[in-house]
């Protein structure tokens, strides 16, 4: 039987919205948002889209009108009652009331601030200016919208069965990865693939397939909406934007050198246990750990997000040992450019030495490589970053010079202040 | 929105019926049924299930109660008004009113006759006794039911996403075959895979995928129900049961030698054009053609269904030449154990020499080989044949001694009467 009402209802949509909920975003965004809401509520920040894959001509592929419709739709969203109830009542990392009542009250009233969109050649300039804790919530939906609109442009000309077989192939690929992962004993892996996913429905499928295929080895998803609807754990801690903005706000070099630790000092006061995860690479992992205060060695673990992952993990292990900590009680979360082979290798190398976890991103939720002609559905390196704070530019160095961003003179200054020497360039996968 | 009525309705089914329509059967069955209804209405025939793949223990895999429920459901079916309208009003092979009013009137009142089911060790003995034109309609649903119940038994323990990936893999496989076939110029191929299909829905999917992927190169399906619902051509002519029963009814050797031509004489009076397709292998292709009356050389083509297909096609080509016919105006339909590679080879060898067509069966609609452990979903060689007529056993020789059937002394007599010498044994694929 055809459900006539459903069909008529579907025809009433003017667009097929890509992002349909304010919590269709990464969990760490909400944690950071709350932290900023408390600690830096008056900071003015600009987020900007950066397409590192300049060979992908986004403005040729995506109609500006359609892009505006999708972004406008996000601006029409507000937290639903059920979403609010879930955020207030759910247990995150074993803790109830992770989100404080004052934050929730503010969040319930939030609509996302305006965006600025302009075509520049074959690319779009897309920026978000405003209060940090408001504009920062644009990052994930903006990326997801651009990635999915590009995909829709490619899928637009395909036949019904051709489409079904495309998804059949993609499903088979994900499942084969799951079958490989299933053979790794004591695996611990989560979905971190919201921002550059193929689509919401596809990410939702991947999460469910991981859940069925891996059982307890699948620890959850970074996507709050999917975590809520599929009743799995919401996963994530914090990201580079915190030290980047704190650093940009520093009035002098001494304050700059201290800024990354100030971030974690604020975090330390708000969170404990598995949420105390160091992200050390913003201005070079090595120097960051060497100069870190002792209380930071007591934190639960570290997230490795750039550079050679084994080098970073070994650096952390040596650092823990030097601070009298037992690495076997610490956690290392790998989250940079992962795919099955890298996961296997890293797990083989570090299981037993530390507790190993994986945050698997784009190559879980958007591995459509080589599935259509010209590889037109392959994921590409699109990011949306805080580029200035209170009028001052932000800088990121990371452990991979190809991921560095900021004005050249500021990059040089940061390298001097943080004592970053030569770095090994690594290919940016996605 | 959930369609509540649909859901409740689905819950009311006591079983999930495998065969839901009397025309979920091969088109040639209906053509032959009409011919028998006119020419041999009083013949008593027994059809019997024969599992040539004795390593598949059907009675261990399939519950007898479930099998009875499915068979009983088929007995509850009668032709629906729409089905009857389609049979009466549709164009088949370019002809209107292919089915005569007296036949349609009888068919509209038909319910399938009783079956006899008994477990014998690990196999089932399943027979149908009665009027030839009634029991012959059991062949296709009986085979489809057994094949699908065996599949269901295997699928029963699989998870939801595991199942989805199984079908994703099978879809990808079919599509890759279609992509290969797409490269063959002037291909002409039809679905002949009803009897040993994986399931109705799967066959329906394959037909639609072939239709989208091959366009005009896909000439139709043997399945009447799918031809009707997908608005494609219904394809098929006649099968071995006609000469087998005519032969069994022959009172002496002279009549026996004439029997296969009597069949085609009757057919000649009823049909023309593309329906005049010779199936010459029942008692050996070579002798059949050598002894054939001249009017048969005027027929449109030949169907190659056993033995080495190239040999049979060449035999036919030489025969046409010897009778003064131009083979390039004739059609050769290959239909035995086909898969993409064999199709490519045969097309390459015979395109230009004759009009080549393919009737693609089990490896289109049931290629689940190697997709589950122990290859438990691989298709196997299950047939349902007329084994006796008016109390006398039937015999089939075919061009492959492994496909021969009948009592040994009768096989010897038939070989003598039809002058069949040594034959090359070919593996029976499915």
């Amino acid at each position: 039987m055809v459900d006539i009402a459903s069909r008529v209802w579907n025809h009433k949509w003017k667009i097929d919205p890509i992002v349909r909920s304010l919590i269709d975003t990464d969990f760490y965004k909400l944690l950071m948002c709350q932290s900023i809401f408390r600690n830096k509520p008056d900071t003015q920040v600009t987020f900007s889209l950066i397409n590192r894959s300049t060979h992908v001509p986004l403005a040729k592929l995506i109609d500006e009108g359609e892009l505006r419709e999708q972004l406008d739709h996000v601006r029409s969203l507000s937290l639903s009652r059920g979403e609010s109830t879930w955020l207030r009542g759910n247990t995150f990392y074993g803790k109830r009331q992770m989100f404080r009542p004052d934050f929730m009250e503010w969040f319930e009233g939030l609509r996302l601030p305006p965006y600025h969109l302009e075509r520049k050649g074959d690319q779009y300039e897309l920026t978000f200016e405003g209060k940090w804790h408001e504009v920062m919530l644009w990052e994930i939906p903006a990326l997801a919208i651009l990635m999915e609109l590009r995909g829709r442009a490619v899928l637009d000309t395909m036949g019904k069965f051709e489409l079904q077989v495309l998804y059949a192939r993609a499903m088979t690929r994900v499942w084969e990865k799951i079958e490989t992962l299933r053979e790794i004993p004591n695996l611990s892996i989560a979905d971190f693939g919201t921002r550059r996913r193929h689509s919401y429905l596809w990410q939702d499928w991947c999460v469910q397939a991981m859940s069925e295929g891996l059982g307890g080895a699948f620890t959850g998803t970074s996507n709050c909406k999917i975590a809520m609807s599929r009743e799995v754990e919401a996963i994530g801690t914090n990201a580079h934007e915190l030290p980047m903005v704190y650093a940009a706000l520093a009035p002098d070099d001494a304050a700059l050198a201290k800024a990354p630790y100030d971030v974690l000092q604020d975090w330390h006061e708000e969170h404990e246990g598995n949420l105390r995860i160091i992200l050390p690479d913003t201005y070079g992992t090595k120097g960051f750990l060497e100069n870190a205060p002792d209380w930071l060695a007591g934190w639960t673990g570290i997230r490795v997000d750039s550079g050679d992952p084994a080098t970073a993990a070994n650096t952390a292990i040596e650092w823990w040992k030097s601070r009298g900590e037992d690495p076997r009680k610490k956690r290392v979360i790998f989250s940079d450019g992962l795919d099955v082979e890298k996961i296997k290798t890293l797990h083989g190398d570090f299981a037993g030495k530390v507790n190993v976890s994986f945050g698997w991103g784009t190559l879980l939720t958007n591995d459509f490589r080589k599935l259509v002609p010209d590889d037109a559905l392959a994921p590409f390196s699109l990011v949306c970053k805080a580029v200035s704070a209170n009028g001052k530019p932000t800088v990121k160095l990371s452990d991979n010079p190809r991921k560095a961003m900021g004005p050249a003179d500021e990059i040089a200054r940061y390298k001097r202040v943080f004592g970053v020497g030569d770095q090994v360039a690594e290919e940016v996968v996605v």
Side-chain angles (χ1 to χ4, degrees), chain A:
Chain A
M1 279 181 252
V2 175
D3 178 350
I4 302 171
S6 274
R7 199 135 158 181
V8 172
W9 171 253
N10 287 337
H11 279 159
K12 284 167 60 179
W13 288 85
K14 282 190 224 80
I15 60 167
D16 178 3
I18 289 171
V19 173
R20 298 182 180 202
S21 158
L22 278 189
I23 67 165
D24 178 11
T25 193
D26 280 339
F27 178 65
Y28 75 179
K29 275 286 175 181
L30 301 188
L31 285 185
M32 290 191 291
C33 184
Q34 175 171 248
S35 182
I36 296 162
F37 177 76
R38 178 159 97 165
N39 299 307
K40 305 279 178 191
D42 299 321
T43 316
Q44 290 291 310
V45 167
T46 301
F47 268 73
S48 177
L49 186 82
I50 300 157
N51 180 8
R52 294 176 189 152
S53 305
T54 46
H55 67 277
V56 180
L58 285 177
K60 280 170 92 171
L61 294 167
I62 299 171
D63 177 73
E64 187 178 327
E66 282 180 41
L67 176 53
R68 283 186 187 278
E69 281 175 337
Q70 291 292 342
L71 295 168
D72 290 342
H73 183 76
V74 175
R75 289 202 66 205
S76 78
L77 297 172
S78 63
L79 209 59
S80 80
R81 182 168 172 171
E83 290 164 351
S84 175
T85 300
W86 182 75
L87 286 173
R88 285 172 182 270
N90 191 45
T91 308
F92 299 100
Y93 283 85
K95 181 179 165 183
R96 282 209 187 278
Q97 291 185 294
M98 176 70 79
F99 297 101
R100 292 184 309 271
D102 61 328
F103 171 74
M104 285 307 304
E105 210 167 301
W106 167 81
F107 196 18
E108 282 160 0
L110 176 74
R111 300 275 178 131
L112 288 201
Y115 59 89
H116 172 84
L117 175 68
E118 206 172 319
R119 184 174 175 154
K120 289 280 171 78
D122 288 344
Q123 299 295 338
Y124 285 117
E125 192 178 88
L126 178 58
T127 53
F128 310 95
E129 269 186 73
K131 285 183 187 165
W132 185 9
H133 53 287
E134 292 186 7
V135 290
M136 62 94 74
L137 292 175
W138 264 114
E139 176 184 356
I140 309 298
L143 291 172
I145 283 170
L146 280 154
M147 197 55 86
E148 188 165 341
L149 280 181
R150 179 267 208 155
R152 288 186 183 180
V154 175
L155 303 174
D156 199 40
T157 58
M158 292 173 68
K160 188 173 166 193
F161 284 75
E162 200 181 2
L163 278 172
Q164 201 177 7
V165 170
L166 172 73
Y167 285 102
R169 284 176 167 151
M171 283 176 185
T172 302
R173 182 176 288 175
V174 170
W175 194 256
E176 280 168 2
K177 292 183 183 192
I178 290 170
E179 287 178 324
T180 307
L181 293 176
R182 200 143 58 181
E183 287 160 22
I184 304 175
N186 304 312
L187 181 68
S188 167
I189 190 164
D191 157 39
F192 274 22
T194 300
R195 64 190 60 207
R196 282 186 290 270
R197 69 190 180 199
H198 173 75
S199 71
Y200 176 82
L201 291 175
W202 181 248
Q203 184 184 16
D204 190 40
W205 190 90
C206 291
V207 165
Q208 293 174 80
M210 290 277 281
S211 191
E212 180 182 301
L214 293 179
F218 177 63
T219 56
T221 174
S222 63
N223 187 297
C224 297
K225 187 73 185 170
I226 296 175
M228 177 178 157
S229 70
R230 300 303 168 193
E231 300 190 3
V232 298
E233 292 297 319
I235 301 283
T237 55
N238 54 62
H240 298 104
E241 66 177 285
L242 292 180
M244 284 167 72
V245 172
Y246 273 58
L249 297 175
D252 54 37
D253 287 0
L256 174 59
K258 228 174 115 277
Y261 308 110
D262 292 344
V263 170
L264 300 185
Q265 182 64 54
D266 284 347
W267 199 262
H268 194 86
E269 282 162 24
E270 292 176 272
H271 301 294
E272 52 199 18
N274 284 330
L275 281 171
R276 287 185 176 169
I277 299 291
I278 307 166
L279 179 66
D281 68 329
T282 316
Y283 304 116
T285 295
K286 201 157 161 291
F288 176 86
L289 293 178
E290 276 167 13
N291 299 318
D294 271 336
W295 54 264
L296 209 53
W299 274 33
T300 305
I302 200 166
R303 181 157 73 92
V304 173
D305 200 44
S306 66
D308 174 57
T311 304
N314 282 320
T315 304
I317 289 170
E318 291 312 312
W319 174 67
W320 279 315
K321 285 184 186 165
S322 74
R323 301 288 177 111
E325 298 281 336
D326 182 355
R328 287 171 304 177
K329 291 180 178 157
K330 299 295 184 182
R331 182 162 296 278
V332 172
I333 302 170
F334 295 102
S335 65
D336 182 32
L338 293 177
D339 206 357
V340 165
E341 283 312 306
K342 202 187 270 190
I343 292 168
K344 266 173 77 176
T345 307
L346 289 169
H347 196 276
D349 291 349
F350 289 98
K353 297 178 186 165
V354 291
N355 296 308
V356 182
S357 300
F358 297 93
W360 193 10
T362 308
L363 295 180
L364 167 61
T365 61
N366 197 1
D367 192 355
F368 281 66
R369 292 175 297 180
K370 313 272 183 214
L371 290 182
V372 296
D374 302 321
D375 213 1
L377 282 180
F380 59 99
S381 193
L382 190 68
V383 297
C384 182
K385 291 285 181 188
V387 292
S388 72
N390 288 351
K392 294 171 71 182
T394 66
V395 169
K396 183 184 171 190
L397 300 178
S398 100
D399 288 333
N400 180 358
R402 291 197 187 148
K403 280 188 166 181
M405 47 166 287
D409 56 339
E410 286 293 306
I411 289 182
R413 175 177 160 242
Y414 275 63
K415 280 190 154 186
R416 176 174 52 74
V417 168
F418 290 105
V420 174
D422 287 341
Q423 292 180 304
V424 181
E426 304 264 344
E427 190 195 350
V428 177
V429 183
V430 277

